[in-house]
């Protein structure tokens, strides 16, 4: 079994860059119908924990399927470089859905709002595309592992950025899940970066993939960073407006949507 079709890789990379602008534009006018923006009319639904597990899963199983067939599969640097990506998606695919499920059981309630299958399918397709690109770049198409004098400088510098972003993302998600467990409905999140922005979880994830871009030093990593920004920035703006509309004067007016002090 061989995966040597360079044209497939480059066409996939082009697709990653092409889907960003329409994603950004569409989310400026129509928010994906899950979470705070859940609403009927988007077809059948499944439980959110199951949806998150299924739609994020290609990032793990496809990576492990593809990696052994890359020309750098036996290079320790390639495995080291791939690890942060896999670490993030192990949390997002396995631990985060378990936390959602645990939160529901702790409240002894049933999940009243499902996750649209249509949205989960779109996310699955993106994760499939992106996992293919990231895994193939690291395991096969990156040519300069042995010649790159700056590899470790970029890796450790990017890893610091990535780790801070992931910590911010995970901590913020835990705060939001805990607030749901403590009472019915939504509450105003406070503390940490929540005092500066409405969506530090989104800000943290954007920072993560900026760190990944530095680590990989590639158009593949940069394309993922751009798409993440195109997907999360308009959603953060919509969440910020949702908070303002719901809580009115009780919501801190000094908060930005996603980027501290700026936006």
């Amino acid at each position: 079994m061989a995966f040597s079709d360079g044209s497939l890789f480059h066409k996939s990379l082009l697709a990653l860059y092409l889907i960003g602008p329409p994603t950004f534009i569409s989310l400026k006018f129509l928010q994906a119908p899950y979470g705070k923006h859940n609403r009927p009319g988007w077809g059948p639904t499944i439980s959110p924990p199951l949806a998150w597990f299924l739609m994020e899963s290609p990032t793990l199983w496809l990576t492990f399927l593809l990696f052994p067939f890359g020309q750098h599969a036996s290079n320790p640097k390639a495995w080291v470089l791939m690890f942060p990506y896999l670490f993030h998606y192990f949390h997002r695919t396995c631990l985060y859905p378990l936390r959602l499920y645990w939160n529901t059981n702790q409240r002894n309630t049933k999940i009243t709002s499902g996750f649209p299958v249509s949205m989960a399918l779109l996310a699955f397709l993106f994760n499939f595309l992106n996992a293919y690109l990231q895994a193939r770049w690291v395991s096969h198409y990156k040519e300069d592992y042995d010649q790159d004098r700056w590899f470790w400088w970029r890796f450790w510098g990017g890893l610091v950025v990535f780790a801070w972003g992931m910590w911010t993302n995970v901590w913020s998600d835990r705060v939001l899940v805990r607030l749901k467990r403590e009472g019915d409905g939504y509450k105003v999140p406070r503390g940490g970066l929540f005092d500066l922005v409405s969506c530090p979880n989104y800000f943290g994830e954007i920072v993560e993939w900026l760190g990944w871009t530095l680590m990989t030093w590639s158009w593949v990593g940069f394309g993922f960073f751009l798409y993440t920004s195109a997907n999360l920035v308009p959603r953060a703006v919509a969440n910020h407006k949702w908070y303002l509309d719901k809580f009115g004067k009780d919501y801190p007016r000094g908060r930005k949507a996603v980027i501290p002090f700026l936006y």
Side-chain angles (χ1 to χ4, degrees):
M1 189 175 186
F3 297 87
S4 58
D5 185 1
S7 65
L8 174 61
F9 178 84
H10 291 103
K11 289 176 181 177
S12 299
L13 179 57
L14 178 61
L16 178 64
Y17 277 86
L18 289 178
I19 62 177
T23 297
F24 180 83
I25 293 171
S26 63
L27 289 176
K28 293 283 286 184
F29 301 100
L30 183 66
Q31 282 303 308
Y34 65 90
K36 296 178 179 64
H37 307 283
N38 187 279
R39 56 194 182 277
W42 289 79
T45 63
I46 57 177
S47 73
L50 179 60
W52 280 101
F53 172 76
L54 293 176
M55 69 189 187
E56 302 288 327
S57 65
T59 59
L60 297 180
W61 58 259
L62 184 60
T63 298
F64 283 115
L65 280 175
L66 292 174
F67 210 95
F69 296 98
Q71 63 175 327
H72 305 300
S74 61
N75 189 330
K77 285 184 177 180
W79 283 100
V80 168
L81 185 56
M82 201 74 232
F83 178 78
Y85 174 90
L86 290 171
F87 185 71
H88 168 92
Y89 278 111
F90 173 74
H91 172 267
R92 183 58 67 187
T93 304
C94 301
L95 302 184
Y96 181 69
L98 285 174
R99 190 177 301 127
L100 290 179
Y101 181 77
W102 173 257
N103 172 61
T104 303
N105 283 351
Q106 284 291 95
R107 292 174 60 190
N108 196 28
T109 60
K110 294 182 179 180
I111 296 175
T112 57
S113 59
F115 198 109
V117 173
S118 57
M119 293 295 101
L121 179 59
L122 288 175
F124 178 92
L125 292 175
F126 170 78
N127 284 318
F128 189 95
L129 169 70
N130 191 53
Y132 166 76
L133 285 168
Q134 307 305 322
R136 286 298 281 162
W137 170 259
V138 174
S139 70
H140 190 77
Y141 287 104
K142 181 174 170 58
E143 298 284 358
D144 58 352
Y145 280 110
D146 296 326
Q147 295 79 31
D148 185 5
R149 297 181 302 165
W150 297 96
F151 175 84
W152 290 113
W153 288 97
R154 293 186 187 117
F155 176 79
W156 290 113
L159 184 62
V160 170
V161 177
F162 182 95
W164 186 85
M166 184 168 180
W167 179 88
T168 300
N169 176 258
V170 172
W171 176 84
S172 304
D173 279 341
R174 289 173 66 91
V175 169
L176 294 173
V177 169
R178 186 173 66 248
L179 285 177
K180 290 181 182 179
R181 187 171 67 241
E182 290 174 352
D184 295 327
Y186 287 95
K187 298 181 179 180
V188 177
R190 301 183 187 277
L193 276 178
F194 278 110
D195 292 337
L196 298 178
V197 294
S198 294
C199 300
N201 50 335
Y202 293 163
F203 175 64
E205 187 155 353
I206 291 169
V207 170
E208 274 188 82
W209 302 120
L210 176 61
W212 175 251
T213 301
L214 295 174
M215 281 187 279
T216 61
W217 203 249
S218 67
W219 290 110
V220 173
F222 186 60
F224 186 20
F225 165 72
L226 288 181
Y227 180 83
T228 300
S229 301
N231 184 36
L232 296 185
V233 168
R235 185 163 178 84
V237 172
N239 282 358
H240 183 66
K241 183 178 183 300
W242 184 92
Y243 278 122
L244 291 172
D245 292 342
K246 182 173 180 62
F247 296 105
K249 295 180 180 180
D250 294 329
Y251 196 72
R253 294 288 163 171
R255 291 186 189 180
K256 300 297 183 181
V258 61
I259 303 175
F261 309 111
L262 294 177
Y263 188 72

